[in-house]
């Protein structure tokens, strides 16, 4: 079993749609959780940290369920510029990245 | 405040040559991480270094790969006797020692290594 598993994707959605990404992790001792975004042939960039109580940043909402070892990212009112690969990242002793889920938002 | 810098951005080597990838962390950061990303795959952790120390090299191949982060100068990822399977994007990231929650990592633009 992979340490961090994500929806395989790809997700192809129209502008304005709501899309949700899921991620599970295997290390119950993991301490911190993040969502990163990676554009094609670019470096990953931090999108948001994921807090135990859940957190929201504009159109983006992240949730954490420690009991189920599950993280989610919800994007509302998706824009063309949201097209990217979204990486679930879990930090224990080091950072472990999921393989990513590719999102394409179409006009 | 410059971000994480990596050079070269593109590196072409023939099989059997050596590849040296350099990474300068963000100002004030003393933790450096190296990752490899194969085409159409996710990031794979390779090594975590602090100044003059390797903290975790559990993701490093046992042979041909080495990394250092000297007291002065950038971190270096060195690949000896490269093979075609080493072709990938190599990303460096850095994080601060303290003062930021969750030790977020900031990535450099990557070095794309092509082995002919």
């Amino acid at each position: 079993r992979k340490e961090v598993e994500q929806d395989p994707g790809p997700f192809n959605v129209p502008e304005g749609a709501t899309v949700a990404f899921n991620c599970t992790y295997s290390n119950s001792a993991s301490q911190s959780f993040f969502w990163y975004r990676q554009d094609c042939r670019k470096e990953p960039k931090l999108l948001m940290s994921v807090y135990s109580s859940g957190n929201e940043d504009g159109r983006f909402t992240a949730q954490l369920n420690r009991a189920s070892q599950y993280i989610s990212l919800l994007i509302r009112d998706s824009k063309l510029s949201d097209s990217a690969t979204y990486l679930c990242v879990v930090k224990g002793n080091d950072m472990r990245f999921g393989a990513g889920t590719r999102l394409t938002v179409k006009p | 405040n410059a971000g994480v810098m990596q050079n070269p951005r593109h590196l072409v080597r023939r099989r059997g040559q050596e590849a040296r990838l350099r990474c300068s962390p963000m100002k004030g950061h003393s933790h450096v991480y190296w990752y490899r990303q194969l085409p159409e795959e996710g990031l794979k952790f390779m090594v975590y270094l602090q100044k003059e120390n390797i903290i975790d090299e559990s993701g490093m191949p046992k042979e041909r790969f080495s990394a250092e982060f000297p007291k002065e100068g950038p971190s270096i990822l060195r690949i000896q006797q490269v093979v075609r399977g080493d072709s990938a994007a190599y990303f460096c990231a850095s994080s601060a020692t303290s003062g930021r929650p969750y030790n977020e990592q900031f990535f450099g633009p990557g070095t794309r290594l092509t082995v002919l």
Side-chain angles (χ1 to χ4, degrees):
Chain A
R1 183 186 172 188
K2 292 181 181 177
E3 292 189 53
V4 181
E5 293 202 63
Q6 294 187 241
D7 283 345
F11 284 60
N12 298 302
V13 303
E15 272 187 291
T18 296
V19 61
F21 302 138
N22 302 318
C23 172
T24 57
Y25 59 95
S26 60
N27 182 359
S28 59
S30 299
Q31 303 152 7
S32 310
F33 310 89
F34 311 87
W35 284 100
Y36 276 71
R37 169 195 170 128
Q38 186 174 23
D39 291 285
C40 187
R41 300 186 68 77
K42 299 285 188 181
E43 73 272 24
K45 292 185 178 179
L46 179 66
L47 179 65
M48 58 196 303
S49 301
V50 186
Y51 303 128
S52 296
S53 55
N55 49 299
E56 188 173 305
D57 183 1
R59 297 181 293 109
F60 299 84
T61 300
Q63 296 280 352
L64 168 65
N65 184 323
R66 283 187 185 271
S68 301
Q69 295 180 202
Y70 170 91
I71 308 157
S72 67
L73 177 69
L74 183 76
I75 305 175
R76 291 182 299 277
D77 187 24
S78 52
K79 313 290 185 190
L80 296 175
S81 58
D82 293 335
S83 297
T85 297
Y86 290 83
L87 307 173
C88 173
V89 184
V90 174
K91 182 178 182 297
N93 293 326
D94 54 43
M95 301 277 272
R96 298 294 179 187
F97 284 74
T101 302
R102 186 174 296 176
L103 171 67
T104 301
V105 181
K106 298 185 175 180
Chain B
N1 184 16
V4 178
M5 301 181 71
Q6 288 186 251
N7 66 82
R9 295 289 302 276
H10 300 275
L11 182 61
V12 179
R13 286 287 178 266
R14 296 192 181 279
R15 280 180 296 169
Q17 291 184 319
E18 179 181 285
R20 279 182 178 247
L21 288 61
R22 289 177 289 277
C23 169
S24 297
M26 283 180 71
K27 187 176 180 180
H29 286 190
S30 61
H31 300 250
V32 166
Y33 312 81
W34 285 95
Y35 296 86
R36 176 165 62 177
Q37 188 172 37
L38 295 168
E40 304 302 320
E41 292 190 16
L43 284 160
K44 301 294 183 189
F45 167 79
M46 297 182 75
V47 62
Y48 164 31
L49 310 104
Q50 293 181 23
K51 283 285 186 181
E52 300 185 278
N53 286 305
I54 296 174
I55 307 302
D56 180 355
E57 56 182 346
S58 58
M60 286 276 273
K62 293 289 186 283
E63 297 177 350
R64 303 188 297 107
F65 285 73
S66 62
E68 61 176 7
F69 189 15
K71 187 176 180 181
E72 302 290 338
S75 175
I76 306 287
L77 179 67
R78 182 182 177 205
I79 312 172
Q80 295 177 291
Q81 299 176 316
V82 296
V83 301
R84 288 214 174 105
D86 296 333
S87 296
Y90 292 83
F91 289 98
C92 168
S94 72
S95 67
T97 52
S98 64
R100 293 187 70 90
Y102 304 112
N103 298 117
E104 295 139 4
Q105 294 186 6
F106 298 86
F107 282 80
T111 294
R112 280 172 175 77
L113 172 65
T114 301
V115 179
L116 301 178

